[in-house]
Amino acid sequence: MSRVTVTYCTQCRWLLRAAWYAQELLTTFHREVDEVALRPGTGGVFVVEAQASATDEHAAPAPVVLWDRSRDGGFPEITELKRRVRDVVAPGKPLGHSDAVASSPPATDTPGDTADEQVPAPTAD
């Protein structure tokens, strides 16, 4: 049974954020994840863990910490969190546009397209 657990800080009032992440993960992994659990915590905690399903030969592996706010800094972008969940519970699953963002080459500046370029002010006619 694949399981994702989101531990969130009740003192920080992060329930809504945790519930939104849970909704997104359940929508994306509705066939691969059996449950997403919300676990209340305190002290600024925000940790997302995933545990892959057991195979016939082996017991379920230990949960893997996918995101820890104190370790990773802040909260994950949903595309990054989905990639990390996918890598544990459904390694072969394509994520569509979430994968495209990760694999697309960085944008390069084209000549004449710089942030320092001054745009002339419109003239009053």
Side-chain angles (χ1 to χ4, degrees):
M1 174 168 82
S2 295
R3 174 187 173 105
V4 176
T5 303
V6 181
T7 305
Y8 65 95
C9 178
T10 57
Q11 296 167 316
C12 305
R13 302 197 180 276
W14 289 338
L15 172 59
L16 187 60
R17 181 185 303 265
W20 179 75
Y21 282 121
Q23 174 188 336
E24 287 290 318
L25 294 174
L26 285 169
T27 300
T28 301
F29 300 102
H30 59 95
R31 290 186 180 100
E32 296 83 10
V33 172
D34 297 312
E35 67 178 297
V36 176
L38 298 178
R39 180 185 300 152
T42 58
V45 66
F46 193 88
V47 176
V48 180
E49 298 171 296
Q51 184 174 12
S53 296
T55 62
D56 292 335
E57 311 83 50
H58 303 288
V64 176
V65 175
L66 303 177
W67 191 272
D68 184 332
R69 192 181 74 84
S70 62
R71 179 192 71 194
D72 298 307
F75 298 96
E77 292 291 328
I78 192 61
T79 52
E80 178 61 24
L81 185 58
K82 286 179 180 182
R83 280 193 294 272
R84 292 183 185 195
V85 168
R86 184 267 318 269
D87 291 347
V88 172
V89 302
K93 180 178 178 71
L95 293 176
H97 69 278
S98 295
D99 278 336
V101 171
S103 63
S104 63
T108 58
D109 288 337
T110 55
D113 185 24
T114 64
D116 297 332
E117 186 176 306
Q118 295 290 325
V119 176
T123 57
D125 290 330

